[in-house]
Amino acid sequence: MKNKLFASIPNIVFGALLVIAPQTFAHACGAHDGMMPACHYSQQAATGIGAVILVLGLVALIVDPKVRIGLNIAAIANTVLLFAIPTVLIGICKGAMMHCRAVMLPTLIVLGVLVVVFAVLSIVFDTRSSKRA
């Protein structure tokens, strides 16, 4: 039971934070000259990825340990995508003092690292419990 909670609760919490943060305090910049900047689209993509991680955590509450291992691998893959969206794929504003670069990007990176750390720990614990059974 504790492995089930440890494998699902962090994904639920961090997934919810990844949905809420880009829409509230870690938001993208406003429109520049009437056009939406790249960081706006990175914000929207990060919100979607957070929703997927949240759903993976919810599903992990009701499945076997072997399936939870796969769900945590999927959470790690989604987090890699989360890192790539603002840094490589879509990007953010160029200015160092822009809100997206100063707040949104570090918030996404920190939350993403936490998702990866807890997912790896969950994989290790579920692998050990699967071998015992």
Side-chain angles (χ1 to χ4, degrees):
M1 181 65 174
K2 68 177 181 173
N3 282 353
K4 181 180 285 193
L5 293 177
F6 187 78
S8 59
I9 298 297
N11 283 344
I12 293 170
V13 170
F14 297 132
L17 286 173
L18 284 167
V19 169
I20 294 168
Q23 299 300 322
T24 56
F25 68 91
H27 58 82
C29 304
H32 301 283
D33 298 326
M35 295 177 54
M36 296 308 287
C39 62
H40 168 76
Y41 301 105
S42 291
Q43 167 191 322
Q44 299 302 80
T47 302
I49 292 169
V52 170
I53 292 172
L54 173 65
V55 169
L56 291 173
L58 291 172
V59 172
L61 282 172
I62 58 172
V63 295
D64 297 343
K66 291 181 181 180
V67 177
R68 281 197 307 266
I69 292 169
L71 292 173
N72 280 304
I73 292 170
I76 292 170
N78 278 298
T79 305
V80 170
L81 182 61
L82 177 72
F83 293 147
I85 292 287
T87 57
V88 177
L89 296 175
I90 297 175
I92 56 176
C93 297
K94 303 288 185 217
M97 298 306 293
M98 300 301 285
H99 191 267
C100 60
R101 188 168 293 277
V103 179
M104 185 177 83
L105 183 61
T107 301
L108 295 178
I109 290 174
V110 167
L111 289 173
V113 167
L114 290 171
V115 168
V116 169
V117 167
F118 280 97
V120 167
L121 290 173
S122 297
I123 290 169
V124 169
F125 292 147
D126 280 337
T127 303
R128 287 182 183 169
S129 68
S130 294
K131 287 181 182 176
R132 289 182 196 155

